C-alpha cells in the first residue's frame, strides 16, 4: 500500500491516480515538489469546506514551507479566504511559511479589496 505524499494517509490500491480522500490531493489540488512542496488548486476556491480535509490532515512540521500556486484560481470566495488565513496561521505557528505564487490579476484585485495582501508573502 502506498501513502499520500501530502498527508501520509495510506492510499487504497483502487484509489484513482493517487487521489487522496483525506487531504483532497488529486481531487481539488495537485501536489508537486519543486523548490519544496507546491500545492496547486485546480480551479476557483468557492467553498471554505474544501480546505477542511487538508487543514485536518496536513502534517504541519516545524519550519515547513508551503507554496500555493494560484495560477488556475481566478476567484476565492470570502469564506475560503478565511481558510487561507487559517492555513497561514498554522504554518506560522510551526515557524513555517506560506508563499502565494502566480496570482491571476483578478485575484490580485480581490486581495487588494479585502485588504489581506499584506498578510501574505506573494511571489510572481
Ligand atoms: Zn492525502
Amino acid at each position: 500500500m502506498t501513502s499520500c505524499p501530502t498527508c501520509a494517509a495510506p492510499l487504497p490500491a483502487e484509489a484513482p491516480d493517487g487521489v487522496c480522500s483525506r487531504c483532497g490531493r488529486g481531487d481539488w489540488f495537485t501536489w508537486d515538489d519543486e523548490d519544496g512542496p507546491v500545492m496547486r488548486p485546480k480551479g476557483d476556491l468557492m467553498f471554505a469546506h474544501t480546505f477542511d480535509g487538508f487543514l485536518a490532515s496536513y502534517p504541519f512540521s516545524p519550519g515547513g514551507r508551503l507554496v500555493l500556486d494560484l495560477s488556475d484560481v481566478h476567484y476565492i470566495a470570502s469564506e475560503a479566504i478565511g481558510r487561507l488565513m487559517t492555513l497561514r496561521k498554522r504554518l506560522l505557528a510551526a515557524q513555517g511559511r506560506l508563499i502565494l505564487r502566480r496570482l491571476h490579476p483578478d485575484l490580485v484585485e480581490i486581495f487588494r479589496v479585502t485588504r489581506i495582501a499584506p498578510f501574505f508573502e506573494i511571489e510572481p
Side-chain angles (χ1 to χ4, degrees), residues 4 6-7 20 23:
C4 173
T6 303
C7 73
C20 177
C23 67

Side-chain angles (χ1 to χ4, degrees), residues 24-53:
R25 174 183 182 271
D27 177 22
W28 65 273
F29 67 88
T30 59
W31 186 260
D32 294 298
D33 202 46
E34 291 173 14
D35 47 346
V38 177
M39 180 188 199
R40 185 175 296 123
K42 291 179 173 180
D44 294 349
L45 299 170
M46 306 297 290
F47 306 106
H49 61 75
T50 304
F51 274 99
D52 290 346

